[in-house]
Amino acid sequence: MTQTIEDAQTKLNAVYSGLLSAYASLVIMDGVLSDDAPCISSGAGSSYCPFDNYSMSPFTPALNNIWNNAYFTQLSALNGIIQDVPNLTADPGAKADLVAQAKGLRAYIYLELLTYFGDLPIHLDRSADFYPGIIRTPREQVYNFIISDLTAAVADLPTTRPDGKLYLTKNAAHG
């Protein structure tokens, strides 16, 4: 549970950092799938070899890591920020900005997951577990959820960040 605005910022920063790692994995995966990058049969690159011959499954380590990090680690953290920050004692503008960034990043993650996995469950709590009865949400509903998060984020994000920090802005959310 997030107890201070600083805790929320730390969690948000961890999601930003995790996106860099996730993006690198997706670039490698795309490269191997398109034959722009070779399958390396030893070392860390070997986990991408199933993509080279289209023999990947939900148990392929690289694919499993991409899903687990995005779906459970990052979305759970963002959901916690979205739920906890409005109840904190802090500057209302700072709280609105953190929630808007969290919603914008959550929308981005869902868009990436939708691109690679198709229909997927919408995860709105902070738990890192699936619970009984969870089902995949149809693509169009996920797109509507993404649009809803981005619309909410745009309302509270600044156009620029005068402090020079590379956090989400209104223009990025519009994009």
Side-chain angles (χ1 to χ4, degrees):
M1 181 153 202
T2 306
Q3 296 181 354
T4 67
I5 203 85
E6 291 79 15
D7 291 342
Q9 187 64 61
T10 298
K11 289 178 183 179
L12 193 62
N13 290 345
V15 171
Y16 277 113
S17 294
L19 286 175
L20 179 62
S21 163
Y23 182 73
S25 295
L26 292 173
V27 166
I28 295 168
M29 185 177 74
D30 286 345
V32 173
L33 280 167
S34 66
D35 289 332
D36 288 338
C39 165
I40 301 167
S41 60
S42 64
S46 65
S47 64
Y48 292 93
C49 287
F51 299 101
D52 194 42
N53 58 15
Y54 296 95
S55 64
M56 62 276 198
S57 76
F59 304 104
T60 301
L63 194 59
N64 200 317
N65 287 339
I66 290 167
W67 172 265
N68 286 335
N69 287 331
Y71 197 82
F72 293 116
T73 304
Q74 293 174 335
L75 288 177
S76 294
L78 293 170
N79 290 336
I81 291 167
I82 292 165
Q83 292 168 16
D84 294 342
V85 168
N87 299 319
L88 298 178
T89 303
D91 173 64
K95 293 188 326 183
D97 182 45
L98 283 171
V99 170
Q101 287 182 70
K103 285 185 176 187
L105 291 176
R106 184 171 69 179
Y108 172 75
I109 291 168
Y110 271 109
L111 185 60
E112 288 296 306
L113 288 173
L114 194 61
T115 300
Y116 288 92
F117 296 96
D119 298 349
L120 47 102
I122 294 178
H123 179 62
L124 296 177
D125 63 22
R126 69 180 77 234
S127 96
D129 296 318
F130 277 126
Y131 38 88
I134 194 166
I135 59 169
R136 294 171 77 156
T137 305
R139 181 179 299 263
E140 184 157 331
Q141 286 180 285
V142 178
Y143 277 128
N144 289 336
F145 179 75
I146 291 167
I147 291 166
S148 172
D149 260 1
L150 288 172
T151 301
V154 163
D156 289 322
L157 288 170
T159 304
T160 61
R161 299 247 174 223
D163 58 6
K165 303 231 179 191
L166 298 176
Y167 295 140
L168 193 63
T169 62
K170 187 179 297 278
N171 294 331
H174 274 294

